[in-house]
Amino acid sequence: AQSVTQLGSHVSVSEGALVLLRCNYSSSVPPYLFWYVQYPNQGLQLLLKYTSAATLVKGINGFEAEFKKSETSFHLTKPSAHMSDAAEYFCASMNTGFQKLVFGTGTRLLVSP
Amino acid sequence: EAQVTQNPRYLITVTGKKLTVTCSQNMNHEYMSWYRQDPGLGLRQIYYSMNVEVTDKGDVPEGYKVSRKEKRNFPLILESPSPNQTSLYFCASSSFGGSSSPLHFGNGTRLTVT
């Protein structure tokens, strides 16, 4: 069955430091992969998506993610954290049948001054 | 403005009292879905709909009903709510422009069942 694993329910960084949020997927066929961000009291917003066109995907707010088939990973990175990046981040996988978006359990990013 | 609108944002009810959470989208999307979000569990799909009059169960459909009589609306119905349905609910929609079409989410409905 399709699944997504996010390592670390909480990640803390200092402002200006590198952000790395980890995501591994489980699928026999590389799926479509997404990162969503959720700010307090809001719904989820799409950060970026992988659709097999390019392995390095750039998203909004300076985030990017690299698809690595050999590692079944799709980690999210940002070179320099900003206070406004504090939020919960969800990795998600969609099968090619377009029936279900499977989410990871989420990683809360905390940014300290 | 393109959006998915859920109502109400907050709802407190008692066990067994039927309720409906409405969801409407103005993007002419074919695909709509309901998720519930619980701490440590992420988002889990309740039901989804591929088009009008076409609905199917997700991972956690027990205790919920849906209908899709119009393309823009996809209400979630709890016939007899129980405390374990206390959760944060999200409606989402997407076009069928390809399997990579991202979901657009509503702002959520926080339901408390006492």
Side-chain angles (χ1 to χ4, degrees), chain B residues 20-111:
Chain B
T20 299
V21 183
T22 63
C23 174
S24 180
Q25 50 93 5
N26 63 1
M27 295 167 280
N28 202 36
H29 285 166
E30 296 86 357
Y31 182 90
M32 297 186 75
S33 182
W34 276 102
Y35 289 84
R36 62 178 287 174
Q37 182 180 9
D38 300 289
L41 297 177
L43 281 84
R44 295 176 292 168
Q45 190 181 48
I46 303 171
Y47 269 94
Y48 66 93
S49 170
M50 305 285 266
N51 215 324
V52 176
E53 303 290 3
V54 181
T55 63
D56 208 347
K57 297 177 181 178
D59 295 317
V60 289
E62 295 77 21
Y64 304 95
K65 285 176 56 178
V66 293
S67 69
R68 188 90 181 273
K69 294 184 177 4
E70 304 167 284
K71 198 172 187 179
R72 63 182 292 124
N73 295 324
F74 191 46
L76 179 69
I77 303 157
L78 283 72
E79 295 270 3
S80 182
S82 62
N84 64 12
Q85 292 179 298
T86 292
S87 186
L88 179 58
Y89 292 86
F90 287 101
C91 180
S93 71
S94 179
S95 70
F96 259 166
S99 295
S100 64
S101 299
L103 285 175
H104 297 258
F105 284 83
N107 283 332
T109 295
R110 186 168 293 281
L111 172 65

